[in-house]
Amino acid sequence: MPAGGILILDYGSQYTQLIARRIREQHVFSEIVPCGITGRQILEKQPKGIILSGGPSSVNEPDAPGIDPDVLDLPIPILGICYGLQLMTLRYGGKVHTVGSGEYGVAEIEIRNPDVIFRNVSSSTRVWMSHRDRVESVPEGWNILAETTNRVIAAVSNADDTRLGIQFHPEVVHTPEGETILRNFLFRIAQCSADWTPGNFIQEQVEIIRRRVGHRKVLVGVSGGVDSTVTASLLNRAIGDQAIAVMIDHGLLRKNEAADCVTALRDGLGVNIHLYDQSDIFLSRLTNIEDPEKKRKIIGEQFIRSFEQVSRQFCDVDFLAQGTLYPDVIESGVNAGRGTAAVIKSHHNVGGLPDKMDLDLIEPLRDLFKDEVRNVGRELGLPESLIGRHPFPGPGLAVRILGPVTLERLEILRAADDIYLRGLHEEGLYREIWQAFAVLLPIRTVGVMGDQRTYDNVALRAVTSTDGMTADWYPLPNRVLRTLSSRIVNSVDGVNRVVMDITSKPPGTIEWE
Ligand code: XMP
């Protein structure tokens, strides 16, 4: 962690990641750590401020997660949110009452002290509450800064305002003045500087990579997606041709995807990239395979084999770089309290490679969220067509062809998918959508076009989401649907029917298999 950021101790709230994002939106670095971190470990990271997140537990339960007493003695400002507030209240000598029912939803708070954390906030403002317990009495010498209209203590601070607690969630959109409240903590109380920018990030990473790699060589696996593309161009910026980018075309990419990616990286940015067409071998191994999990397994295994094989020619390589992002790191363990163990990003399908090939991992994006990666990519000069690209699964079109994968079916799907996406670009809708794609169905319905009978069916999917964990279907205008459907049916040989998937996640998943 770069010095000067905010450390968030995670007590298990569903909003912890959101707190980190909101802070980074203010150009201040923030990192989530397990709540068991010690005071000494915190000092090593040199944060300017600490936030204790919310959480599902009650501080009055015997096995409720606690806090290292040394943390509370640190000369660093601490803001407790919800559970964090209650924990501090208890540890500094106040009382927390466990209420049976709790309070969830929008509440109105009245500000008693318009300075400190409420500077520039309206005297009465809406906030989002989500808690079971509430503060009954504040520690000695502490002040009540705000209360809800039904007299629940909503914000407190100690005498010198270095310990603050709020009962509501400033990070969610339902707290309209939440941004001002967070900014007050960051810039007035913790004295952070707003210098966490893509430009600074690149400069810092370039230095780190140069120092670590020296004169040695790094292999970069490129999948065509945003994360690995940005990783490859960052490595190129740091060490030029010492970074060797390798792209395996498994033949399951979208139309022109491999070529576009290579052109942008090689011609646009001078990245030393090598493209290997391995589609024959992937396709032959997928012959007659219908089960999606089998498809995934075969593709994953073959990817490792192909990658190993083509990398052999670069014999004096010491590192493997890949585009692991912060959400992958968090999922791998912070919330489970297991620490931030390195994960191999599954969709790069290189799981097991560093072990087998005896390579050290370089993951320059492991502190970043997706939107931050996109900003870094823009700063590095990658074209918008690559940066704004929707997520794409590692097994590619194989999981969007329901039933067996054949060259012919791949061509049908590619053509339909291309028409669909080009249509969304034309209408200016592509960027509003998190993920859009066509699926080739295994059912066959009869249609007659001219004198020929046709059978194939295509489903279109378009969803909005922030992280792919939940998603809502995107309501494409009827006019657009009509155009897309007739274009697909009229120009893709064999397709006679187009259907639209209008299912959210949950209960559906984004992909069909
Ligand atoms: P689901 O279908 O699980 O998708 O709602 C959530 C996100 O994950 C992507 N996805 C995959 N990515 N390998 C990947 O690399 C896979 O096997 C895979 N399956 C789903 C999906 O595209 C969506 O963004």
Side-chain angles (χ1 to χ4, degrees):
M1 165 173 177
I6 296 286
L7 213 57
I8 303 166
L9 273 56
D10 182 20
Y11 286 91
S13 163
Q14 55 176 327
Y15 299 127
T16 305
Q17 269 204 47
L18 200 54
I19 303 173
R21 295 179 66 98
R22 293 284 179 256
I23 294 171
R24 289 171 180 213
E25 281 165 15
Q26 300 301 325
H27 301 297
V28 173
F29 183 75
S30 64
E31 183 185 337
I32 302 170
V33 291
C35 58
I37 190 169
T38 65
R40 182 192 294 225
Q41 287 168 326
I42 290 181
L43 270 184
E44 280 167 14
K45 291 178 177 280
Q46 297 178 272
K48 282 272 204 177
I50 297 169
I51 289 183
L52 313 182
S53 84
S57 313
S58 162
V59 284
N60 291 325
E61 286 166 2
D63 52 355
I67 188 163
D68 174 13
D70 289 350
V71 176
L72 297 177
D73 290 336
L74 292 174
I76 301 174
I78 305 179
L79 170 66
I81 296 179
C82 214
Y83 184 85
L85 154 73
Q86 292 150 11
L87 188 61
M88 277 206 290
T89 302
L90 208 61
R91 292 301 171 94
Y92 285 109
K95 280 207 179 107
V96 175
H97 179 56
T98 297
V99 203
S101 55
E103 193 176 4
Y104 304 90
V106 172
E108 194 81 15
I109 61 166
E110 283 159 12
I111 312 293
R112 282 206 198 164
N113 182 337
D115 285 332
V116 203
I117 199 147
F118 291 119
R119 179 78 67 94
N120 298 326
V121 173
S122 324
S123 58
S124 172
T125 187
R126 254 186 309 131
V127 298
W128 181 257
M129 292 281 196
S130 162
H131 63 96
R132 263 197 307 169
D133 298 354
R134 63 195 225 193
V135 173
E136 196 169 273
S137 63
V138 299
E140 204 181 311
W142 285 46
N143 306 302
I144 296 174
L145 307 180
E147 282 182 321
T148 66
T149 40
N150 47 3
R151 298 287 155 248
V152 173
I153 294 174
V156 298
S157 74
N158 68 352
D160 62 4
D161 300 326
T162 54
R163 300 291 181 261
L164 296 123
I166 48 183
Q167 184 59 80
F168 57 89
H169 290 276
E171 68 277 14
V172 304
V173 286
H174 313 289
T175 303
E177 295 188 272
E179 181 181 335
T180 311
I181 295 167
L182 269 182
R183 283 180 59 87
N184 284 335
F185 178 68
L186 298 180
F187 301 116
R188 288 180 187 281
I189 294 158
Q191 312 274 322
C192 292
S193 315
D195 53 12
W196 168 252
T197 60
N200 288 345
F201 171 83
I202 293 168
Q203 211 178 344
E204 187 182 273
Q205 284 303 318
V206 162
E207 280 163 26
I208 292 173
I209 293 166
R210 282 187 187 150
R211 236 179 304 153
R212 185 158 169 218
V213 172
H215 293 292
R216 293 178 287 173
K217 286 189 184 154
V218 183
L219 210 55
V220 193
V222 173
S223 68
V226 188
D227 313 339
S228 61
T229 316
V230 172
T231 305
S233 46
L234 187 56
L235 264 291
N236 173 65
R237 172 75 63 94
I239 54 171
D241 280 357
Q242 280 167 259
I244 304 155
V246 167
M247 183 169 186
I248 307 279
D249 181 359
H250 52 20
L252 306 164
L253 295 172
R254 287 179 151 143
K255 196 168 170 180
N256 300 331
E257 200 160 24
D260 286 353
C261 179
V262 169
T263 308
L265 285 176
R266 183 187 290 153
D267 302 348
L269 297 174
V271 171
N272 175 15
I273 184 164
H274 305 255
L275 174 66
Y276 297 90
D277 181 358
Q278 299 271 305
S279 49
D280 287 349
I281 176 128
F282 276 87
L283 214 60
S284 79
R285 289 202 59 198
L286 286 169
T287 310
N288 295 328
I289 304 293
E290 297 199 21
D291 175 43
E293 286 317 310
K294 273 199 191 130
K295 287 181 188 171
R296 283 187 167 85
K297 196 154 176 266
I298 290 172
I299 296 165
E301 275 171 15
Q302 185 55 45
F303 194 91
I304 291 180
R305 275 192 213 163
S306 295
F307 196 88
E308 268 185 312
Q309 188 207 329
V310 302
S311 318
R312 250 177 238 132
Q313 57 185 294
F314 309 109
C315 47
D316 50 348
V317 166
D318 288 304
F319 300 91
L320 176 76
Q322 58 177 22
T324 311
L325 301 196
Y326 196 41
D328 308 317
V329 175
I330 296 174
E331 272 164 33
S332 81
V334 172
N335 288 331
R338 281 183 270 115
T340 52
V343 269
I344 308 301
K345 198 169 184 182
S346 65
H347 87 238
H348 286 199
N349 290 313
V350 291
L353 264 182
D355 278 353
K356 280 194 185 154
M357 299 174 68
D358 204 18
L359 296 173
D360 282 340
L361 266 186
I362 294 184
E363 298 175 311
L365 309 181
R366 58 179 285 128
D367 282 336
L368 304 191
F369 289 107
K370 192 92 177 179
D371 48 338
E372 294 171 324
V373 171
R374 292 198 162 115
N375 288 335
V376 168
R378 285 190 185 101
E379 185 86 14
L380 285 165
L382 283 167
E384 205 55 40
S385 57
L386 272 185
I387 288 172
R389 202 169 254 184
H390 291 170
F392 186 69
L397 301 181
V399 291
R400 293 178 181 171
I401 293 180
L402 278 51
V405 182
T406 62
L407 201 53
E408 190 197 5
R409 291 174 67 73
L410 271 167
E411 288 309 324
I412 294 174
L413 181 58
R414 270 199 194 104
D417 189 69
D418 185 53
I419 292 170
Y420 180 29
L421 296 197
R422 271 194 290 129
L424 295 182
H425 278 295
E426 268 169 34
E427 296 286 341
L429 296 173
Y430 184 85
R431 291 188 64 173
E432 278 189 35
I433 295 168
W434 160 267
Q435 218 171 349
F437 54 88
V439 181
L440 190 60
L441 306 185
I443 38 172
R444 291 161 74 78
T445 59
V446 177
V448 181
M449 297 179 68
D451 291 333
Q452 279 195 326
R453 278 174 177 264
T454 51
Y455 296 100
D456 281 311
N457 293 261
V458 165
L460 304 181
R461 183 96 164 113
V463 295
T464 52
S465 176
T466 49
D467 51 13
M469 304 295 281
T470 59
D472 202 0
W473 61 277
Y474 182 84
L476 286 169
N478 280 350
R479 179 185 53 77
V480 176
L481 288 173
R482 196 182 299 279
T483 313
L484 290 171
S485 162
S486 69
R487 276 190 200 164
I488 291 172
V489 170
N490 287 331
S491 50
V492 185
D493 267 356
V495 175
N496 66 35
R497 211 172 288 263
V498 175
V499 297
M500 185 80 207
D501 181 351
I502 50 167
T503 322
S504 60
K505 172 185 179 176
T509 49
I510 295 178
E511 302 291 343
W512 274 45
E513 56 171 41

